[in-house]
């Protein structure tokens, strides 16, 4: 019964939204008749209120179904389960396509309500007509209507028996209700799931407002005044979307095992692009408001920013990125609807812009090169170019379908290669723009304002080069012979190209470091001056300081991060295939890794019932702490790992573990055994402290200087034979045996081994490889496991100065908040 009411409420919301958009449209057409306009406006408001009430009612019903485990509904069955805590049950509302569309529609109801309540009278009707049209498309995604073969949307209230009508269980028993649901995806069972998606959809919803104002300006030929009421909404949309992106990055950092916060995933990129264009749009609005130029850029970017929101929705929800992104939704057959949404709003937005293009104001003179206007517009264009590169790479699978059956995403190197030089430009301009004045500046004034930030940036950059491993981390130099040969044979152009291929990345990183410091100090000086005068005006400088800190934090944490290298004497047979950042620690064993003492203490259960692996760590400065990374096997047999992070002011230590059971080692049938390596004079322990093995050196039994050997076990056709002198101690009885397994090279250059056996211990030892230069020997043992039964593979990274990144995000957001407050006050003052 309630499910039918939910479907009815969504239908009412869809119809009421269409009525609201149409009423506001006719109110615009009836502006010449005040009485008629008021009637249509009131109708639009009441219809919007009815739509909002219906959406809230449908949302309440869906939450009720989730909390009461109504598994007869497909969405509830697919997204929730009995064992989920209440906060994860709450977040299952937006875990799937239908629920997330409903959440987005719910956010849009609030945005439209605020516009009706607070927007200026002359903009309410055209703006709300456009917002209503956008909401109508959004509600169509969850309408769940069917007209013959045509389906419109997918309802969150569809019954399980309808979705899987051909399943044998429903053919036998149509009223069957499962006892439990499939549950929330293990990767989504994280506290950030409860807040990150709502903030993201809040940003998507708010981005419709500058789009609506831009279209209203073109529609009503109000090309100048619209930016004032649109600016605080643009700032809010950029703030919400930026905070959501930062939350997603932090979520990945503390949850995923790769130790990063951004992987250039196509779905991650699709939320970054609208943010970048929104930032550029606000800056062009600022120029338009201050100097009366850039009308075209402000309109075009405001339109494009929201269209990129819809395009990102298409990428995420159409299923087109299903094979190249871990974040994309399963397709619900909304491909054509999403394309229609993009097409209609694209034609409406760009078509109206083209139609009015000849009427748009043209400034009396173009901004002078040495002016804040020119710097801001240049920076906005560089940001847009960066967004274009990212959306091109993100869309590569779509373009690839034209030429191949199984297109793939572009590699991360594509984004790094093309965005880095563009970032150099807009980061530098982010510092320069605040230092410049409006209209124009002369050379003398420029020298005066630039000398301090340039000096401070230069000193800081030199300090980084001298005091940190910046150069060795970023510079890859070929061998002297290779480099000389290439330079000698190259032409001038080829030589320059070769020089850039070797040093180009390091040069760009060095320049980014310099412009990051320049932006920090330049905006810092401006901020200090503003705070002493009028703090209400500090939003721009504060956000630019935060942006500079973000850039420096990205450089430090990504450019200087390094794995703790694998060291030690014992290793697994397949360990050479593991990345070098992995090292093995047995229970109660201490490993010294790059100055860090890591002890695996044991296991425990966290509050969710998952296994924690307790590591006691002591860093090179003597600081001790305990880390508890989590690793567990999900219901589908897949292993999930939640890392743990130890935070210091100067760095983060990132630890993740892979338990023995997840590696597959030891699951093969057969006697215990393995390989281990020892240097001359070293020792190790095998098994659960069962045997101690000490390597006392090599003994040459036969070689070039000894044509014959007295050792009876060495055959005549061996041209070289070397023994390894071992002392093996049974740690239980304290009995020690002397062994000498032999490694041989035969006349045909084949290798053979003579093993030693200790029959009463059930132990055999072979000498399988030697390295005379390093003094190391490799041994194969049978009868005892090389590793203890309880061990973990530890993955460890250091993330230097990553706190700069998080502090920069907070400062950037604070700058947006200050700017929003100022813009809102300006609107109220004008009223």
């Amino acid at each position: 019964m309630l499910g039918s009411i939910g479907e009815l409420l969504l239908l009412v919301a869809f119809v009421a939204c269409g009525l609201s958009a149409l009423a506001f449209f006719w109110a615009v057409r009836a502006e010449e008749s005040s009485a008629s306009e008021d009637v249509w406006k009131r109708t639009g408001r009441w219809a919007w209120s009815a739509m909002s009430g219906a959406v809230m009612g449908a949302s309440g019903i869906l939450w009720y179904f989730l909390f009461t485990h109504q598994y007869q509904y497909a969405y509830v069955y697919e997204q929730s389960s009995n064992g989920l805590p209440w906060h994860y049950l709450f977040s299952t509302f937006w875990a799937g396509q239908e629920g997330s569309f409903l959440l987005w529609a719910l956010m849009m109801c609030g945005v439209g309500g605020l516009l009706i309540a607070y927007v200026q009278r002359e903009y309410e009707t055209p703006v709300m007509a456009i917002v209503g049209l956008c909401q109508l498309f959004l509600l169509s995604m969850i309408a769940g209507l069917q007209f013959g073969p045509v389906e419109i949307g997918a309802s969150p209230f569809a019954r399980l028996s309808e979705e899987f009508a051909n399943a044998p269980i429903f053919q036998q028993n149509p009223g069957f209700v499962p006892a439990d649901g499939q549950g929330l995806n293990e990767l989504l069972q994280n506290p950030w799931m409860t807040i990150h998606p709502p903030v993201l959809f809040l940003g998507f919803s708010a981005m419709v407002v500058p789009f609506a104002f831009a279209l209203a300006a073109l529609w009503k030929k109000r090309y100048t005044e619209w930016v004032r009421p649109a600016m605080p909404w643009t700032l809010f949309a950029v703030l919400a979307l930026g905070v959501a992106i930062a939350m997603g990055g932090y979520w990945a950092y503390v949850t995923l095992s790769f130790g990063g916060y951004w992987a250039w995933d196509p779905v991650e990129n699709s939320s970054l692009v609208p943010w970048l264009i929104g930032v550029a749009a606000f800056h062009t609005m600022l120029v338009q408001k201050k100097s009366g130029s850039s009308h075209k850029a402000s309109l075009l970017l405001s339109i494009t920013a929201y269209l990129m929101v819809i395009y990102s929705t298409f990428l995420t929800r159409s299923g087109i990125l299903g094979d190249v992104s871990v974040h994309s939704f399963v397709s619900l057959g909304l491909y054509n609807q999403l394309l229609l949404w993009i097409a209609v709003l694209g034609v409406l937005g760009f078509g109206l812009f083209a139609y009015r293009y000849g009427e748009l104001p043209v400034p009396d003179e173009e901004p002078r090169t040495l002016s804040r206007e020119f710097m801001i517009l240049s920076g906005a264009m560089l940001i847009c170019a960066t967004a274009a590169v990212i959306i091109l790479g993100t869309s590569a699978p779509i373009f690839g379908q034209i030429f191949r059956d199984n297109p793939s995403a572009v590699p991360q190197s594509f984004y790094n290669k093309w965005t880095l030089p563009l970032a150099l430009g807009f980061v530098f301009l982010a510092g320069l723009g605040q230092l410049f004045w409006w209209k124009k500046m002369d050379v003398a004034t420029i020298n005066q304002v630039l000398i301090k930030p340039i000096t401070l940036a230069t000193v800081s950059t030199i300090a980084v080069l001298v005091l940190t491993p910046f150069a060795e981390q970023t510079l890859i130099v070929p061998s002297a012979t290779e480099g000389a040969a290439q330079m000698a044979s190259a032409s001038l152009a080829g030589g320059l190209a070769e020089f850039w291929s070797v040093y180009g990345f390091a040069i760009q990183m060095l320049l980014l470091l310099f412009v990051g410091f320049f932006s920090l100090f330049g905006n810092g000086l401006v901020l200090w001056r503003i705070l002493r005068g009028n703090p209400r005006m500090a939003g721009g400088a504060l956000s630019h300081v935060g942006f500079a800190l973000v850039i420096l934090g990205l450089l430090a944490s990504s450019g200087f991060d390094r794995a703790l290298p694998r060291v030690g004497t014992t290793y697994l047979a397949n360990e050479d295939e593991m990345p070098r950042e992995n090292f093995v620690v047995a229970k109660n064993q201490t490993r010294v890794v790059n100055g860090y003492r890591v002890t695996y203490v044991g296991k425990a259960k966290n509050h969710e019932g998952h296994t924690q692996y307790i590591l006691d760590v002591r860093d090179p400065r003597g600081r001790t702490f305990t880390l508890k990374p989590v690793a567990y096997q999900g219901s589908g047999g897949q292993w999930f790992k939640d890392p743990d992070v130890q935070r210091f002011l100067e760095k983060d230590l990132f630890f993740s573990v892979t338990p023995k059971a997840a590696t597959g080692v030891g699951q093969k049938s057969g006697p215990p055994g393995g390989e281990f390596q020892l240097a001359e004079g070293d020792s190790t322990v095998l098994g659960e402290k069962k045997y101690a093995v000490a390597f006392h050196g090599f003994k040459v039994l036969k070689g070039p200087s000894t044509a014959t050997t007295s050792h009876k076990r060495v055959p005549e056709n061996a041209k070289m034979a070397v023994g390894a002198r071992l002392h093996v101690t049974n740690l239980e009885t304290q009995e020690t045996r002397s062994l000498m397994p032999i490694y041989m090279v035969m006349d045909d250059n084949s290798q053979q081994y003579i093993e030693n056996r200790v029959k009463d211990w059930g132990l055999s030892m072979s000498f399988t490889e030697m390295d005379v230069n390093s003094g190391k020997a490799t041994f194969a043992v049978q009868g005892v496991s090389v590793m203890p039964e309880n061990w973990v593979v530890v993955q460890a990274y250091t993330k230097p100065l990553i706190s700069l990144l998080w502090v920069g995000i907070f400062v950037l957001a604070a700058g947006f908040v200050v700017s929003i407050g100022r813009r809102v006050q300006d609107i109220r003052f004008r009223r």
Side-chain angles (χ1 to χ4, degrees):
M1 178 62 180
L2 273 179
S4 299
I5 294 175
E7 291 180 329
L8 179 61
L9 286 173
L10 289 180
L11 180 59
V12 168
F14 183 70
V15 173
C17 183
L19 177 60
S20 176
L22 190 62
F24 281 120
F25 173 81
W26 283 109
V28 176
R29 298 290 299 271
E31 283 184 354
E32 295 180 1
S33 173
S34 179
S36 179
E37 179 190 3
D38 289 342
V39 170
W40 284 114
K41 184 186 294 187
R42 284 196 301 271
T43 302
R45 288 175 175 178
W46 279 107
W48 186 269
S49 299
M51 181 271 298
S52 299
V55 170
M56 287 188 285
S59 301
I61 291 174
L62 183 57
W63 260 308
Y64 173 77
F65 285 169
L66 291 166
F67 277 107
T68 56
H69 309 299
Q70 303 292 319
Y71 297 127
Q72 64 268 37
Y73 297 99
Y75 188 82
V76 179
Y77 171 76
E78 292 170 349
Q79 307 300 335
S80 68
S81 63
N82 295 336
L84 285 177
W86 72 269
H87 55 285
Y88 290 152
L89 278 175
F90 181 79
S91 64
T92 55
F93 183 97
W94 48 78
Q97 285 234 48
E98 303 93 323
S100 57
F101 271 128
L102 183 55
L103 175 68
W104 191 352
L106 191 62
M107 297 286 186
M108 285 283 289
C109 292
V111 169
L114 290 173
L115 286 170
I116 291 173
Y118 295 106
V119 78
Q120 292 169 304
R121 182 181 179 277
E122 63 268 25
Y123 285 106
E124 179 188 344
T125 50
V127 166
M128 284 305 301
I130 296 160
V131 172
L133 177 63
C134 296
Q135 177 77 327
L136 187 66
F137 274 107
L138 192 54
L139 288 171
S140 73
M141 302 298 163
I142 51 175
L145 299 175
Q146 186 164 359
F147 300 96
V150 179
E151 294 184 3
I152 301 178
S155 172
F157 301 107
R159 299 182 71 88
L160 193 61
S161 57
E162 297 171 355
E163 291 290 304
F164 303 98
N166 295 326
I169 187 65
F170 291 114
Q171 291 180 350
Q172 298 172 9
N173 181 12
F176 172 75
V177 178
D180 200 356
Q182 292 180 343
L184 187 64
N185 186 306
E186 297 277 356
L187 291 175
L188 300 181
Q189 294 184 31
N190 185 278
W192 287 104
M193 178 61 180
T194 61
I195 187 171
H196 167 258
V199 176
L200 179 67
F201 286 116
L202 179 61
F204 282 176
S205 300
M207 198 66 79
V208 75
V209 181
F211 171 79
F213 269 107
L215 288 192
L218 292 168
W219 184 5
K220 301 302 296 179
K221 301 183 180 181
R222 298 169 182 159
Y223 306 123
T224 303
E225 302 87 355
W226 71 277
V227 296
R228 187 177 292 274
M231 285 177 75
W233 283 100
T234 307
L235 281 170
F236 178 76
V238 170
L239 171 63
L241 197 52
V243 169
I245 292 169
M247 284 180 176
Y250 189 77
W251 182 359
Y253 177 64
V254 300
T255 303
L256 301 180
S257 59
F258 66 87
Y261 38 77
W262 195 261
W264 292 114
D265 181 90
V267 176
E268 294 173 349
N269 297 346
S270 64
S271 61
L272 177 63
V273 170
W275 183 81
L276 288 171
I277 298 177
V279 170
F282 171 76
H283 284 83
T284 57
M285 289 180 192
L286 189 64
V287 172
Q288 178 179 334
K289 178 176 173 291
K290 287 289 186 179
S291 62
S293 59
S294 79
H295 293 79
K296 298 181 179 70
S298 299
L299 291 164
L300 188 61
L301 293 179
S302 297
I303 294 169
T304 305
Y306 186 66
L307 289 176
M308 286 297 103
V309 168
I310 306 172
Y311 183 64
S312 72
T313 304
F314 169 75
L315 291 176
T316 308
R317 299 169 184 274
S318 64
I320 200 166
L321 297 181
D323 296 331
V324 296
S325 173
V326 298
H327 297 90
S328 62
F329 286 93
V330 176
S331 176
L332 289 180
L334 302 178
Y335 186 96
N336 292 328
Q337 277 185 250
L338 291 167
L339 276 182
L340 182 64
W341 190 5
I342 297 171
V344 170
L345 293 189
V347 169
L348 182 63
F350 294 135
L352 194 54
F353 177 82
Y355 183 73
R356 299 292 196 200
Y357 187 85
E359 302 176 12
L360 296 177
V362 177
D364 295 334
E365 60 177 354
E366 294 297 327
R368 296 178 180 269
T369 303
L370 299 180
S371 67
R372 181 179 290 185
E373 295 95 320
F374 183 82
M375 299 301 163
I376 291 177
L377 290 174
S378 299
M381 295 305 102
L382 288 174
I383 292 173
C384 290
T386 304
V389 168
I390 296 172
I391 204 64
L392 178 65
T394 303
S395 304
I398 301 176
F399 302 139
Q401 288 185 353
I402 302 173
F403 305 103
R404 53 191 298 186
D405 294 332
N406 297 309
S408 59
V410 299
Q412 294 187 20
S413 58
F414 169 85
Y415 299 104
N416 297 331
K417 176 181 179 180
W418 292 101
T419 60
L420 181 55
L422 294 170
L424 289 174
F426 65 71
V427 173
F428 177 67
L429 292 173
L432 203 61
Q434 286 286 320
L435 293 168
F436 276 37
W437 300 338
W438 294 107
K439 300 299 183 183
K440 66 177 181 178
M441 293 182 66
D442 54 37
V443 176
T445 308
I446 293 173
N447 292 335
Q448 182 180 354
V449 299
L450 291 184
I451 186 168
K452 286 184 179 179
I454 287 180
T455 301
L456 291 171
T458 302
V459 171
S460 299
T461 304
I462 293 173
V464 169
L465 289 174
V466 173
L467 301 176
T468 72
F470 180 88
E472 63 188 67
Q473 292 280 88
T474 58
L475 185 61
I476 301 175
V477 183
S479 63
T481 304
E482 179 186 357
Q486 290 174 342
M487 290 295 185
S489 61
S491 62
L492 177 60
L496 291 175
E498 181 63 31
F499 175 85
W500 186 254
S501 69
V502 175
Y503 299 102
F505 177 74
I507 292 172
Q508 291 180 87
M509 292 292 284
L510 180 62
L511 289 174
L512 186 60
L513 179 68
F514 173 79
V515 297
F517 277 126
F518 173 76
S519 183
L520 175 65
F521 293 124
N523 286 288
L525 292 170
V526 173
L527 178 62
W528 175 251
R529 185 170 65 247
I530 293 174
L531 289 176
R532 291 186 299 171
N534 185 3
R536 194 173 72 92
M537 307 287 288
L542 185 62
S543 59
H544 283 197
V545 167
F547 177 68
L549 290 173
V550 167
I551 295 298
L552 294 174
L554 288 171
L555 269 173
S557 59
S558 297
F560 294 152
D561 69 328
R562 59 174 179 169
L564 304 182
R566 174 173 62 80
V567 297
T569 58
T570 303
Y571 66 99
L572 302 174
N574 65 341
E575 190 175 358
D576 288 340
E577 300 174 2
M578 296 181 180
R580 287 181 56 82
E581 65 266 18
N582 294 340
F583 58 92
V584 179
V585 185
K587 184 179 179 181
N588 297 324
Q589 180 188 14
T590 298
R591 301 293 299 271
V592 180
V593 183
N594 204 24
Y596 293 85
R597 296 179 62 88
V598 182
T599 303
Y600 171 32
V601 177
K603 296 184 286 187
K605 295 288 186 180
N606 64 8
H607 65 282
E608 295 178 333
H610 298 151
T611 304
Q612 295 176 319
Y613 294 82
I614 304 172
L615 304 174
D616 286 343
V617 184
R618 180 173 181 173
D619 73 359
R621 296 172 59 179
R623 296 176 293 191
T624 59
F625 47 90
T626 299
L627 294 170
K628 298 179 180 179
V630 173
Y632 63 96
Q633 195 169 19
S635 56
Q638 181 182 359
W639 279 88
F640 296 92
K641 296 184 288 184
D642 293 335
D644 199 4
V645 181
Q646 176 66 34
R647 294 172 179 82
F648 296 108
L649 181 63
E650 78 280 8
K651 66 183 175 184
D652 277 5
L653 285 173
F654 176 97
F655 276 72
S656 178
V657 298
T658 303
K660 176 185 175 182
T663 66
V665 174
Q667 296 180 1
K668 298 179 181 179
S669 60
E675 286 189 334
F676 63 97
Q677 190 178 66
L678 290 175
E680 189 171 353
D682 280 353
S683 63
T684 190
V685 176
L686 302 180
E688 294 286 351
K689 297 186 177 180
K690 193 170 183 180
Y691 298 103
V693 181
F695 177 35
H696 291 282
F698 300 106
K699 182 178 181 179
V700 179
L701 304 176
K702 186 177 182 180
S705 59
T706 56
T708 61
T709 177
S710 60
H711 199 286
K712 60 183 180 180
R713 299 177 63 191
V714 176
E716 291 296 329
N717 61 339
K719 66 179 180 181
M720 185 185 74
V722 178
R725 294 184 288 113
L726 301 175
H727 288 171
V728 182
T729 302
N730 188 319
L731 297 177
E732 183 178 352
T733 65
Q734 294 301 311
E735 181 183 0
T736 299
R737 304 282 181 90
S738 295
L739 304 179
M740 191 170 67
I742 299 172
Y743 169 82
M744 300 180 297
V745 179
M746 314 308 288
D747 288 338
D748 60 357
N749 290 324
S750 64
Q751 300 175 20
Q752 293 186 15
Y753 322 110
I754 300 177
E755 69 176 8
N756 277 187
R757 294 181 180 178
V758 185
K759 293 184 179 180
D760 54 331
W761 289 357
L763 187 70
S764 64
M765 194 82 67
S766 299
F767 175 19
T768 60
E769 189 177 348
M770 63 179 293
D771 187 336
V772 178
N773 294 326
S774 64
K776 291 182 178 180
T778 301
F779 301 95
V781 62
Q782 285 188 348
V784 63
S785 296
V786 173
M787 290 297 299
E789 289 300 315
N790 191 355
W791 52 266
V792 294
V793 180
V794 179
Q795 185 183 38
Y797 297 91
T798 57
K799 293 286 185 180
L801 295 176
I802 195 172
S803 56
L804 279 179
L805 174 61
W806 311 127
V807 170
I809 290 170
F810 277 109
V811 175
L812 179 63
F816 277 115
V817 171
V818 173
S819 296
I820 291 170
R822 176 191 169 192
R823 300 299 166 188
V824 171
Q825 288 181 355
D826 287 348
I827 295 174
R828 289 178 176 175
F829 179 76
R830 281 180 62 87
R831 286 182 175 178

